[in-house]
RNA sequence: GCGCCUGUAGCUCAGCUGGAUAGAGCACCGGACUUCUAAUCCGGCGGUCGCAGGUUCGAAUCCUGCCAGGCGCGCCA
């Protein structure tokens, strides 16, 4: 039984004397903002005051006097302010919680309520038509952290990348590359309208002209894992491809460009610390006839009709504002239908829940997709859509155009070059998903050395340094023990302990709310309390008992920081060089 | 016009699901290294929480209406 439950139960017991029963009224316990108000606080007296026609503070005093606790768990009960009842957790109990945490028992186990349920988290879905941009960076930071959070609370989370390689854009990409290549050879080439004008295409063409057929084939060798079995190199050389009839020629160039860009995208993801369990290719949906089968299923369930030579999904049945075309009048299925097939396949693959991360420009898709899932018999609530607001990049005081087609966008790689992956991730992860973020690149560059992430990293490195120093002096502290923690006496020490034991609930809250930014806030708080402790308490002192106690506290703090940083996908360094 | 999101310190953002004196980082000012790493610590400056009503013991937080900004409302993806 957690301390929250102990306190709640005791309060409920006494509330019954006032005719208020469990289920009738809820006892909220929260951590007071001001530490001097104790460790936990409830407003129950104020909530009940009116119903009982009593003065809140008087009722609080009366109730508080009746509460009986094991002094080894709840050390004190006080009333304060307009009628709060504040509780102080006994140090002995805090110590026990920290020991449990250290051993990976207790609350950190109790939050694993997922029951091994398989959850699919699709957090990047991109056209393979250019380098990944910073929109994917934010999604990547969020998604990868959410996957780790879900695992931490007992789910079997699965990170997925959806490659939109089937549409017209890939053809357009190939045509763009072909045109650039021909231009380079001085041949007349018409650059496609709406083609991709980015410089990366020109550079790709340049490189391509220097490759013989063997070198081209070898480029595909980087894709040796199962997810990428579909990505292969086209046979021949650029010269060969240009001799072919246009359609086939474009196809070769597309195949090549796709391979190159996926190589970049995957490299970028790795650099950013993103690991995907699956890269799912849209083209596979078409080849395996899943798109057709999804259509048949929808039709069978009576949600499809023909009009104006097109095929429509009656999404209005499910609350969408209008019906949607799923097969165009030219016979080509829409992107939406493929997406329906994709999500249906996710369901068929055995995921009990699916989370999609979408940009705000796609929020209109939610209703129709949810409708389609319902139409296919997928349970309500199976699909969860998280909207991640747009990031506006600002440089020289003005917002940057993010159009990929025009080739002017901030790439994820450029972001890593500028500020580093850890800094970028941390900045994204201090914001909640709904925030419309203005990312000032100039400031980020300047601050990259003066950033909150270093505050946390430094705390970790500092602990490692102290532990090294202790080892040099012949004091080695590997474990955290009951006896050791009993040597803690000072207020800064216990403030730190009090924060460390909040790790499990912080993880659970962040996972449930899908709000990874709670982790960065927590990490900052722990780091802050450690720095405070460090300055007020000499760790390596003359009193061996105190020294041992403080070293153990260091060990525990280091473990907590490392744990949180790992969840955030940020490196926890053992050394930190001098700044500048 | 309709829908989604947002509006908190000079800037970028938190505010733990309605609590006590609204916080952090950056910027600015002033202190602390002969010491376990000063990428730190201590102090200061700075806010009609967009505006106006409402709900109640209590509102940055919930409701309504305005104002401002972002995004969306294709047989594009």
């Amino acid at each position: 039984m957690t301390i929250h439950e102990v306190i709640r139960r005791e309060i409920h017991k006494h509330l019954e004397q006032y005719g208020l029963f469990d289920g009738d009224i809820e006892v909220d316990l929260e951590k007071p903002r001001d530490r001097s108000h104790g460790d936990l606080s409830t407003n129950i007296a104020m909530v009940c005051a009116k119903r009982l026609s009593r003065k809140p503070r008087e009722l609080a005093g009366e109730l508080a006097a009746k509460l009986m606790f094991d002094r080894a768990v709840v050390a004190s009960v006080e009333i304060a302010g307009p009628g709060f009842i504040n509780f102080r957790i006994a140090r002995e109990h805090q110590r026990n919680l920290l020991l449990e945490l250290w051993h990976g028992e207790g609350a950190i186990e109790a939050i694993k309520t997922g029951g091994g349920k398989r959850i699919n988290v699709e957090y990047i879905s991109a056209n393979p038509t250019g380098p990944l941009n910073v929109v994917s960076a934010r999604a990547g930071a969020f998604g990868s952290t959410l996957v780790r959070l879900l695992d931490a609370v007992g789910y079997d989370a699965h990170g997925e990348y959806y490659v939109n390689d089937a549409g017209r854009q890939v053809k357009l990409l190939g045509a763009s590359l072909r045109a650039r290549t021909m231009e380079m050879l001085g041949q007349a080439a018409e650059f496609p309208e709406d083609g991709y004008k980015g410089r990366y295409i020109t550079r790709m063409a340049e490189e391509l002209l220097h490759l013989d057929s063997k070198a081209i084939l070898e480029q595909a060798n980087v894709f040796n894992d199962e997810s990428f079995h579909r990505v292969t190199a086209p046979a021949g050389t650029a010269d060969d491809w240009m001799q072919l009839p246009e359609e086939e020629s474009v196809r070769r160039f597309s195949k090549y460009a796709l391979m190159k860009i996926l190589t970049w995208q995957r490299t970028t993801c790795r650099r950013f610390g993103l690991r995907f369990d699956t890269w799912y290719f849209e083209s596979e949906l078409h080849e395996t006839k899943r798109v057709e089968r999804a259509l048949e299923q929808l039709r069978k369930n009576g949600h499809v009709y023909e009009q104006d030579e097109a095929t429509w999904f009656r999404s209005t049945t499910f609350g969408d504002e209008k019906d949607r075309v799923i097969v165009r009048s030219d016979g080509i299925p829409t992107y939406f239908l493929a997406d329906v097939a994709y999500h249906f396949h996710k369901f068929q693959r055995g995921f009990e829940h699916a989370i999609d991360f979408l940009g705000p420009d796609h929020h209109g898709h939610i209703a129709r997709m949810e409708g389609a899932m319902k139409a296919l018999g997928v349970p309500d609530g199976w699909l969860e859509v998280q909207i991640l607001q747009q990031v506006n990049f600002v440089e020289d005081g003005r917002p940057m155009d993010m159009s990929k087609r025009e080739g002017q966008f901030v790439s994820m790689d450029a972001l890593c070059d500028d500020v580093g992956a850890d800094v970028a991730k941390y900045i994204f992860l201090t914001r909640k998903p709904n925030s419309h973020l203005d990312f000032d690149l100039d400031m980020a560059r300047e601050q990259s050395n003066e950033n909150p992430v270093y505050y946390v990293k430094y705390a970790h490195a500092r602990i490692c340094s102290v532990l090294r120093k202790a080892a040099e002096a012949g004091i080695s502290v590997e474990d955290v023990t009951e006896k050791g923690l009993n040597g803690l006496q000072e207020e800064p020490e216990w403030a730190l302990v009090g924060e460390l034991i909040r790790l499990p609930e912080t993880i659970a809250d962040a996972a449930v709310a899908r709000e990874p930014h709670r982790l960065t806030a927590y990490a900052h708080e722990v780091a802050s309390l450690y720095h405070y402790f460090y300055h007020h308490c000499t760790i390596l002192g003359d009193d061996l008992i105190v020294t041992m106690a403080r070293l153990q506290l260091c060990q525990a703090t280091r473990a907590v920081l490392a744990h949180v940083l790992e969840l955030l996908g940020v490196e926890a360094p053992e050394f930190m060089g001098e700044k500048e």
Side-chain angles (χ1 to χ4, degrees), chain A residues 89-395:
Chain A
I89 303 174
R91 289 182 170 177
E92 188 180 341
H93 190 252
Q94 294 192 40
R95 183 203 63 199
N96 290 340
L97 290 175
L98 185 59
L99 284 169
E100 283 181 357
L101 184 61
W102 174 259
H103 294 293
E105 300 161 355
I108 199 75
E109 275 296 313
I111 59 171
K112 292 183 180 169
T113 53
K117 209 165 128 179
R118 296 183 70 212
I119 298 189
N120 184 292
V121 184
E122 175 201 341
Y123 59 91
I124 295 186
S125 125
N127 290 327
T129 53
L132 286 175
N133 67 24
V134 285
V135 174
S136 300
R138 186 179 194 182
F142 258 90
S144 60
T145 299
L146 183 61
V147 166
R148 288 184 288 259
L149 270 172
L150 290 170
D151 280 336
V153 293
Y155 292 94
D156 178 12
H158 185 105
E160 189 150 311
Y161 189 117
Y162 186 46
V163 185
N164 304 137
D165 65 330
R168 207 166 53 194
Q169 327 89 299
V170 174
K171 219 171 279 176
L172 201 56
L173 173 74
S176 304
L177 176 63
R178 179 169 177 266
R180 288 290 186 239
T181 309
M182 289 168 76
E183 278 170 17
M184 231 156 259
L185 294 173
Q187 297 182 19
E190 202 179 324
F191 195 81
E193 199 184 344
D194 297 331
Y196 292 92
K197 294 174 186 152
R199 196 168 302 159
Y200 59 91
I201 299 284
T202 318
R203 279 199 290 259
M204 193 191 293
E206 245 165 32
E207 185 198 50
L208 174 60
L209 283 169
H210 290 98
L211 299 177
D212 58 27
S213 60
K214 189 172 164 236
I216 287 173
L217 286 176
E218 278 168 2
Q219 300 222 19
N221 290 348
V222 294
F223 295 110
N224 44 16
D225 55 293
E226 179 58 19
S227 270
F228 293 92
H229 70 276
R230 314 177 51 76
V231 183
T232 54
T237 65
D239 283 327
D240 301 333
W241 306 338
M242 281 182 282
Q243 308 304 318
L244 298 167
E246 183 169 335
E247 199 183 323
E248 182 55 30
S249 177
V250 168
R251 193 170 299 150
R252 298 288 169 98
F253 278 98
S254 294
K255 198 175 170 73
Y256 178 80
L258 184 69
M259 174 184 74
K260 288 300 289 182
I261 284 171
L262 281 169
T263 308
W264 298 344
Q265 291 191 347
R266 194 176 60 157
T267 303
T268 304
C269 286
R270 285 181 175 171
R271 187 178 175 199
F272 207 63
L274 308 180
R275 260 196 45 255
F276 293 93
D277 298 291
T278 303
W279 290 63
Y280 197 105
F281 287 76
E282 184 189 351
S283 56
E284 186 167 351
L285 290 164
H286 294 92
E287 283 172 28
T288 55
K289 307 286 181 200
R290 289 189 192 282
V291 178
E292 283 171 39
R293 275 186 277 161
L295 174 60
E296 282 163 28
Q297 190 66 43
L298 283 173
R299 200 190 299 275
K300 210 172 95 190
N301 295 359
H303 303 293
V304 172
Y305 64 92
E306 316 286 330
Q307 189 183 310
D308 303 330
E309 293 172 10
T311 307
W312 298 70
F313 167 53
R314 195 175 282 108
S315 54
T316 46
T317 309
F318 306 96
D320 197 5
E321 54 193 25
K322 54 183 283 196
D323 292 341
R324 307 290 168 178
V325 171
I326 46 179
V327 181
R328 305 192 313 218
S329 50
D330 60 8
I332 296 175
T334 60
Y335 173 83
F336 172 56
L337 181 59
D339 217 20
V340 169
Y342 171 48
H343 283 84
F344 191 48
H345 189 213
K346 265 189 209 171
F347 180 68
Q348 291 171 321
R349 285 195 281 155
F351 291 106
E352 296 173 67
H353 189 61
I355 303 176
D356 280 7
F357 277 87
L358 294 181
D361 49 335
H362 286 76
H363 82 261
H365 292 231
I366 300 174
R368 74 193 74 159
M369 183 54 73
E370 284 175 348
M373 290 300 103
K374 222 174 275 185
L376 290 168
V378 174
D380 257 5
W382 176 81
L383 177 64
E384 169 188 336
V385 179
Q386 292 290 327
I387 297 291
L388 211 47
Q389 290 297 331
Q390 195 89 31
V391 185
N392 291 317
F393 277 77
V394 179
E395 195 171 35

